[in-house]
Amino acid sequence: MISSGMDPFDLNSLMRPKRVCLCRMVTEEDLVRAIHAGAVTMEQIREKTRATTGCGTCSMQVYHILQRELQNLSRRKIS
């Protein structure tokens, strides 16, 4: 039985580590590593991780992770 507070139909919440791209089984950690390794565009993210190349429903989430990490990297360079 699934613990209380968890939606039994939310398969993403059952996966560890959580997958951002379910079609290609790409985790947020995979995306962050790719960005830190130089993938700074959506095209480069697609090439390195294959995220967003299936159904595409994760595209906005991948884009937001990319933007967040690029901001984090630029802050580190400034400091």
Side-chain angles (χ1 to χ4, degrees):
M1 176 150 232
I2 297 174
S3 64
S4 64
M6 222 182 222
D7 181 352
F9 300 104
D10 182 9
L11 297 178
N12 208 13
S13 69
L14 299 175
M15 290 183 288
R16 298 291 176 251
K18 181 181 175 187
R19 306 294 196 263
V20 174
C21 177
L22 295 176
C23 296
R24 304 297 182 218
M25 302 303 286
V26 179
T27 66
E28 183 169 348
E29 183 179 323
D30 295 330
L31 295 169
V32 170
R33 268 191 263 127
I35 295 163
H36 288 250
V40 296
T41 66
M42 287 294 287
E43 183 176 324
Q44 291 170 337
I45 291 288
R46 285 183 201 101
E47 289 171 6
K48 287 190 180 240
T49 68
R50 298 191 63 222
T52 76
T53 63
C55 71
T57 58
C58 64
S59 294
M60 285 307 295
Q61 190 173 2
V62 171
Y63 177 78
H64 289 297
I65 292 168
L66 174 61
Q67 294 306 306
R68 181 194 72 208
E69 290 305 311
L70 290 176
Q71 284 180 346
N72 289 343
L73 287 172
S74 69
R75 284 184 193 130
R76 287 183 195 145
K77 288 180 183 178
I78 294 171
S79 298

